[in-house]
Amino acid sequence: MSKDYDITYVHHITFWSIYFIFNTLRWSHVHSDLLYSLKTNLIGFPIHIALSYFNVYYLMPKYVYHKKYVSYALLVLGSLLIMLLVKFNLTYYFVSTNVMPEATEVVNTLTLNYAITTMLGELYVVSFVTAIKITADWLRETNKLHDLEKRQLTTELKFLRSQVSPHFFFNTLNNIYSLTLEKSDKAPEVVLKLSELMRYLLYASNKPKQDLKKEIDCIQNYIDLERIRFNDSLVVNMNLSGNLENKKISPMLLITFIENCFKHGASQSIGKMYIDVNIRIEGDVLLFKVSNTIPEKRKKKKPSSKNGGIGLSNVKKRLELAYAKNDYDLQIYERDNVFHVELKIKV
């Protein structure tokens, strides 16, 4: 079958051809008469096909799927009785008056034993074909469901990637405006960094994984832009070690933690603020740790039972969607008036 599990005309023809050949050879061995087996199967198979398709494409959709089980059972029984009469007469007049040569005695009338045996055999074929159809339908619906889930997850991931705070851009634009008024030499550099950052944020979502080096460059640009806003009131230490070559990561994942430091740390502080960023690559594992001092007004508040705000909730959700459970470990905690985030992730 195709990847969509559609049953085509080729599948129908192939199935019935193989079944016909198998049945003819099987009964020719039972009767020791290939010609007789061929004749009876030429009569029987059109009946098999008609009954099977009548059940699969008419009776089941109209009655079983609408829970009309009694009507369905009566119609199946009626169809089997009609099939019995047709098969008996066709065999009697066109093949042999002994319609059941496998019996111990000659059967040339419509006996109860012949009726039960023939109807059970027909019911077996119909059930077999129905089972194939139900299985194909189930596989097709399951495949559609998985495709829908993938689309939903992709859409959700793209949405979560776009959640960098707009306040950052407003603040940066205000800083650029101030620099231009002062005719500062820093203005072109700030515009360039903002442009690079926005380009990354705009196009990073097009790929499920991005180069780790580009993600770190994005973090560096973000920090440089924020340094201009906070001037000497902010100290940022960033340490990087290990080989970045051929390492991939879900885009805009790490920058959320950095943004959280500025949003809930530096922007709420009156005194000196410290942010430490440590990035280390060991083999195919990234060890990422970021820490920021907690503002005085937050120290006085009762510790929250939840770690972080919307940004951290989003990044947790993104990790669940983009990575297997064993491919990452995220720890978020407060200790000695410092907020810590530690992420261990496969890259």
Side-chain angles (χ1 to χ4, degrees), residues 85-217:
L85 294 173
V86 171
K87 188 172 185 179
F88 174 82
N89 284 286
L90 289 174
T91 305
Y92 185 87
Y93 289 107
F94 291 100
V95 180
S96 172
T97 54
N98 183 12
V99 295
M100 197 174 178
E102 64 269 23
T104 55
E105 56 186 24
V106 175
V107 179
N108 52 18
T109 58
L110 194 59
T111 63
L112 181 62
N113 184 45
Y114 173 80
I116 292 173
T117 302
T118 304
M119 290 174 71
L120 285 176
E122 206 65 44
L123 193 61
Y124 162 77
V125 176
V126 172
S127 300
F128 183 54
V129 173
T130 302
I132 294 174
K133 179 64 166 59
I134 290 173
T135 302
D137 288 346
W138 178 80
L139 289 171
R140 183 166 54 252
E141 291 304 313
T142 302
N143 190 50
K144 286 181 180 178
L145 182 61
H146 287 165
D147 286 343
L148 179 61
E149 288 176 348
K150 285 181 181 178
R151 291 192 191 101
Q152 289 175 335
L153 291 179
T154 301
T155 302
E156 187 173 358
L157 273 171
K158 286 184 177 180
F159 171 75
L160 291 173
R161 288 170 187 165
S162 67
Q163 296 304 295
V164 174
S165 174
H167 295 293
F168 163 75
F169 293 106
F170 290 137
N171 291 329
T172 303
L173 289 172
N174 284 331
N175 290 336
I176 293 172
Y177 176 69
S178 300
L179 290 171
T180 54
L181 287 179
E182 297 170 3
K183 297 183 180 179
S184 172
D185 295 336
K186 293 182 179 179
E189 181 185 353
V190 173
V191 172
L192 182 60
K193 286 184 179 293
L194 181 61
S195 174
E196 291 175 353
L197 180 60
M198 292 183 70
R199 185 182 295 110
Y200 179 77
L201 298 181
L202 182 62
Y203 294 109
S205 297
N206 294 334
K207 297 179 180 179
K209 294 291 177 66
Q210 186 60 268
D211 289 338
L212 180 58
K213 186 178 184 305
K214 291 183 178 179
E215 179 78 4
I216 293 173
D217 289 342

